[in-house]
Amino acid sequence: MTTHYLVLSALLFAIGGIGVLVRRNAIVVFMCVELMLNACNLAFVTFARQNGNIDGQVIAFFVMIVAAAEVVIGLAIIVTIFRTRRSASVDDASLLKY
Amino acid sequence: MGETITFWVLAVVSVSAALGLVFSRKAVYCALMLGVVMLSLAVLYAVQDAPFLAAVQIIVYTGAVMMLFLFVLMLVGVDSSDSLVETIRGQRFWAVVAGLAFAALVALGVGNVVFAPAAGLGAVNAAGNVPSLAELIFTRYVFAFEVTSALLITAALGAMVLAHRERLEQKATQRELSRERFVKYGEEGLDPSPLPGPGTYARANAIDMPALLPDGKISKLSVNRYIARYEAEEGTIDPKVAEILEGEDK
């Protein structure tokens, strides 16, 4: 069963990665990042059971905490950018290029 | 056996929801798809002897994070759809190729490993999952746990700083607002009094009830045009309202 869980986790991670690369809406990109974090958590929990060691679950717990903090800051940044540029597209915030 | 069935059902559900997240055009659908993935992962945690993480996943992710996402979606505008223009030519194609290649790489790598039968968490969880997690968090990982509190406080402060907006001009007082209304009245003849609310002097206090003037006539200002148009199309419009609105193009 461990292999199954790990393959599922890899699939979800890859789908999230494709989403980050393909989508242009900053919020959707952010959701895909969350999907990748979730996929990693699944791998942690699976390895915790595989090794009979609960440390993996503790790490998954910490990942969740960091993800929650990251969502708060990330969404605040998106709202701030939207307020000044009236757009949530990742392509529009390219001023640093010039 | 039960676990196998649960796994396959949830694997199909979560992968298709993840694909929906990537490919649906509307951002709200994406958020709902992400919610489905998170819920099915929570069940998978519960199946894998991690009941605490399953609860935390539901409370933190589907409860807090998804709500934040939806709030921000509503603030930023639900209809801010993706542009289909590629900034870098061929980016979509190569992104999908790279993603599939990565999935194949990891899946084949993991598939080639022969795992011993899972050790299981029965012995570790003997005293209960939450007590054994707590024991680890408050002994071996206590420093990381303390640092987490600093992180959360920093995040809360950062969000407040980012969301704060300086008021650039003085807030208009009631006196100024009233003066403005009367200036408009003088220049354009707009009524300075507030608009009559629906239902004033009427039999019921609903939005589809136009306000009545003291002489019993319908106040034209209070007729809700959307509802009136709908009712006119359905043919259920009140003849009095129809009379008032006559001559106005629908």
Side-chain angles (χ1 to χ4, degrees):
Chain A
M1 243 9 236
T2 305
T3 316
H4 292 72
Y5 282 112
L6 291 179
V7 170
L8 173 64
S9 153
L11 267 182
L12 289 179
F13 189 89
I15 294 174
I18 293 176
V20 170
L21 291 173
V22 166
R23 298 302 298 255
R24 297 271 71 93
N25 187 333
I27 302 175
V28 180
V29 170
F30 215 53
M31 287 183 205
C32 294
V33 173
E34 288 303 309
L35 179 62
M36 293 166 83
L37 284 171
N38 267 294
C40 293
N41 273 350
L42 180 62
F44 273 126
V45 174
T46 307
F47 277 121
R49 191 172 67 154
Q50 171 67 29
N51 295 328
N53 187 336
I54 212 164
D55 288 48
Q57 291 189 13
V58 176
I59 303 294
F61 176 64
F62 281 125
V63 170
M64 281 182 188
I65 297 173
V66 174
E70 173 228 335
V71 165
V72 169
I73 293 298
L75 289 179
I77 292 175
I78 290 175
V79 168
T80 316
I81 291 179
F82 180 79
R83 228 188 245 155
T84 50
R85 314 187 71 94
R86 289 281 129 205
S87 149
S89 169
V90 285
D91 280 343
D92 291 345
S94 58
L95 259 184
L96 276 181
K97 231 166 77 178
Y98 305 112
Chain B
M1 187 61 202
E3 191 193 339
T4 317
I5 296 173
T6 318
F7 173 81
W8 282 111
V9 170
L10 289 177
V12 171
V13 167
S14 59
V15 168
S16 37
L19 287 174
L21 160 66
V22 174
F23 291 116
S24 65
R25 303 273 301 131
K26 288 185 180 158
V28 177
Y29 290 172
C30 293
L32 294 179
M33 291 295 173
L34 186 60
V36 171
V37 177
M38 285 169 172
L39 281 176
S40 34
L41 284 186
V43 178
L44 286 182
Y45 295 165
V47 169
Q48 295 205 76
D49 298 329
F52 177 69
L53 278 187
V56 170
Q57 168 91 0
I58 290 178
I59 294 167
V60 172
Y61 271 115
T62 47
V65 171
M66 284 315 301
M67 284 309 112
L68 256 183
F69 269 121
L70 285 176
F71 269 135
V72 172
L73 267 183
M74 298 300 165
L75 273 180
V76 167
V78 195
D79 42 49
S80 60
S81 48
D82 267 7
S83 66
L84 284 174
V85 185
E86 282 185 316
T87 326
I88 308 168
R89 217 151 50 84
Q91 190 210 0
R92 266 161 228 268
F93 174 72
W94 289 111
V96 173
V97 169
L100 291 180
F102 178 79
L105 178 73
V106 179
L108 288 178
V110 170
N112 274 331
V113 178
V114 180
F115 285 105
L121 290 172
V124 186
N125 276 348
N129 183 239
V130 179
S132 37
L133 266 178
E135 202 184 322
L136 262 188
I137 288 175
F138 289 109
T139 54
R140 193 184 305 168
Y141 295 102
V142 71
F143 185 66
F145 188 66
E146 301 277 345
V147 173
T148 300
S149 68
L151 174 77
L152 286 178
I153 290 175
T154 318
L157 272 179
M160 277 196 273
V161 169
L162 283 171
H164 180 69
R165 186 158 35 169
E166 290 289 334
R167 186 177 278 282
L168 292 177
E169 71 267 7
Q170 207 74 45
K171 192 179 177 192
T173 59
Q174 217 165 17
R175 184 188 175 86
E176 285 161 355
L177 288 176
S178 146
R179 190 177 293 270
E180 209 170 273
R181 271 203 299 272
F182 273 92
V183 167
K184 235 178 198 167
Y185 172 58
E187 286 171 353
E188 300 164 32
L190 284 176
D191 200 350
S193 65
L195 293 175
T200 316
Y201 295 122
R203 281 166 295 134
N205 193 7
I207 188 87
D208 61 334
M209 281 286 177
L212 299 184
L213 296 172
D215 58 354
K217 282 192 302 186
I218 287 174
S219 164
K220 193 175 176 180
L221 285 172
S222 73
V223 176
N224 186 317
R225 302 298 145 102
Y226 289 103
I227 295 179
R229 186 187 306 144
Y230 175 77
E231 283 184 339
E233 278 166 12
E234 295 281 301
T236 56
I237 193 164
D238 188 353
K240 274 191 192 162
V241 177
E243 191 184 320
I244 288 272
L245 290 181
E246 209 165 297
E248 224 178 80
D249 42 35
K250 296 277 164 64

